[in-house]
């Protein structure tokens, strides 16, 4: 019997890369996706292969439906199956929440195109393959930004709220065949925030985050990958949920 297959969008870096490696370590075959930079995707693919995984590396911008459909077709011809889809690819623009003039309609549209419509398009493209597998799962990578009303920009916050709503609606629509859940990470130690904020602001935010969180900790890509793995491969009776992994940031400290 062929191994189970997981497709992870945006898996050349950060949370997506840690998830691809974890699925490979657990004996799955994986599709590693990137949109711009192939080299890091090939490096992650090599790491996955070192655990015996059959790896397909696919360039596709999830905002482009034709590229989502091409990826799904290539997964079908390469593996002949897909058991789990992780919609991890995301984008943002760093604009202070109070700076309403700093965020245009085009910014909203570009962020929604990847964070919301991209996830929808990937699900639509892979659904026929997912439906063939008993216990198939979809995991959408959201953010606590949607739950606390704060993050890199209002457009990002709203896009992750929309992704949570999409998760709930699709959990209804795709049951009983396919489970649909989301993970909502807090501040993650990945290139995303370091690039977006610059290293000085990143270090300052990290220390205030640690100070105000119950577990006194930011989150690593591997922490999020653990939950992504559980929601995809296990969690047989869980659907429509948004699972927070934030080091206790929302809980706060006594
Ligand atoms: N970092 C955080 O603090 C944090 C917190 C909460 C939630 N999240 C969410 O976690 C997810 C991953 O974040 P990360 O921190 O791991 O980011 P990251 O390290 O910057 O990695 C982003 C990945 O997404 C890919 N990507 C970007 N746009 C894409 C597109 N349009 N189509 C396909 N792939 C695309 C990138 O590859 P290319 O560069 O080649 O496109 C890269 O592989 C995002 O959805 C983000 O919103 C992050």
């Amino acid at each position: 019997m062929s191994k189970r297959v997981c497709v992870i969008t945006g898996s050349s870096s950060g949370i997506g890369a840690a998830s691809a490696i974890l699925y490979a370590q657990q004996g799955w075959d994986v599709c590693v996706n990137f949109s711009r930079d192939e080299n890091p995707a090939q490096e992650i693919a090599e790491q996955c292969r070192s655990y015996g995984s059959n790896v397909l590396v696919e360039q596709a911008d999830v905002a482009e439906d034709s590229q989502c459909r091409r990826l799904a077709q290539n997964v079908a011809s390469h593996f002949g199956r897909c058991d789990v889809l992780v919609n991890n690819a995301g984008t943002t623009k760093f604009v202070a929440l109070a700076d309403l003039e700093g965020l245009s309609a085009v910014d909203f549209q570009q962020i929604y195109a990847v964070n919301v419509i991209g996830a929808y398009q990937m699900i639509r493209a892979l659904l026929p393959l997912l439906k063939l597998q008993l216990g198939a799962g979809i995991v959408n990578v959201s953010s606590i930004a949607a739950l606390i009303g704060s993050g890199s920009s209002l457009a990002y916050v709203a896009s992750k709220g929309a992704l949570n709503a999409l998760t709930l609606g699709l959990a209804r629509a795709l049951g009983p065949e396919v489970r649909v859940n989301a993970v909502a990470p807090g501040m993650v130690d990945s290139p995303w925030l370091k690039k977006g904020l610059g290293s000085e602001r990143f270090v300052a935010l990290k220390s205030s985050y640690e100070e105000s969180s119950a577990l006194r900790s930011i989150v690593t890509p591997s922490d999020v990958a653990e939950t992504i793995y559980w929601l995809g491969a296990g969690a047989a009776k869980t659907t429509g949920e948004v699972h927070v992994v934030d080091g206790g940031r929302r809980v706060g400290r006594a």
Side-chain angles (χ1 to χ4, degrees):
M1 205 179 97
S2 61
K3 286 190 192 175
R4 288 182 293 175
V5 172
C6 179
V7 173
I8 303 145
T9 66
S11 39
S12 60
S13 170
I15 295 167
S19 303
I21 291 166
L22 182 56
Y23 273 89
Q25 285 171 334
Q26 296 298 323
W28 291 53
D29 290 336
V30 294
C31 172
V32 171
N33 158 254
F34 66 99
S35 72
R36 289 164 295 219
D37 192 359
E38 179 165 3
N39 286 339
Q42 293 294 357
E43 281 170 28
I44 298 305
E46 271 318 298
Q47 286 191 54
C48 293
R49 288 188 187 107
S50 74
Y51 298 106
S53 184
N54 179 351
V55 184
L56 177 67
V57 179
E58 280 289 312
Q59 187 283 329
D61 177 348
V62 299
E64 298 295 330
D65 190 42
S66 59
Q67 297 183 27
C68 296
R69 290 183 191 272
R70 185 190 63 211
L71 184 151
Q73 207 134 38
N74 291 343
V75 167
S77 41
H78 188 82
F79 296 115
R81 67 186 287 172
C82 177
D83 302 73
V84 167
L85 164 64
V86 180
N87 280 310
N88 166 74
T91 192
T92 194
K93 182 175 179 186
F94 284 79
V95 180
L97 296 191
D99 181 10
L100 268 54
E101 294 296 341
L103 203 58
S104 68
V106 171
D107 293 329
F108 268 88
Q109 283 151 3
Q110 285 174 346
I111 291 169
Y112 269 63
V114 176
N115 295 5
V116 187
I117 303 168
Y120 178 75
Q121 289 175 164
M122 283 300 302
I123 291 168
R124 183 170 60 187
L126 278 167
L127 193 57
L129 273 188
L130 286 163
K131 276 187 164 173
L132 296 176
Q133 301 305 323
L134 202 63
I138 294 166
V139 186
N140 295 323
V141 181
S142 181
S143 169
I144 59 160
L147 307 174
I148 64 174
S150 180
S152 44
S153 62
L154 282 171
Y156 178 78
V157 169
S159 74
K160 294 299 188 181
L163 185 61
N164 291 350
L166 189 71
T167 301
L168 193 53
L170 282 170
R172 278 183 195 277
L174 303 188
E177 292 99 337
V178 183
R179 295 169 301 107
V180 188
N181 291 292
V183 60
M187 181 181 180
V188 178
D189 192 353
S190 77
W192 172 284
L193 281 180
K194 284 178 190 152
K195 266 193 246 158
L197 296 172
S199 53
E200 217 169 288
R201 279 179 69 202
F202 176 84
V203 169
L205 184 64
K206 177 175 182 284
S207 95
S208 92
Y209 191 103
E210 287 168 343
E211 185 58 28
S212 58
S213 305
L215 299 180
R216 312 284 193 277
S217 175
I218 66 165
V219 176
T220 65
S222 304
D223 293 328
V224 186
E226 272 183 23
T227 298
I228 290 174
Y229 183 77
W230 172 69
L231 287 172
K237 296 292 163 63
T238 300
T239 197
E241 292 296 327
V242 178
H243 191 103
V244 176
V245 182
D246 70 346
R249 166 69 176 74
R250 272 204 322 166
V251 172
R253 57 181 293 181

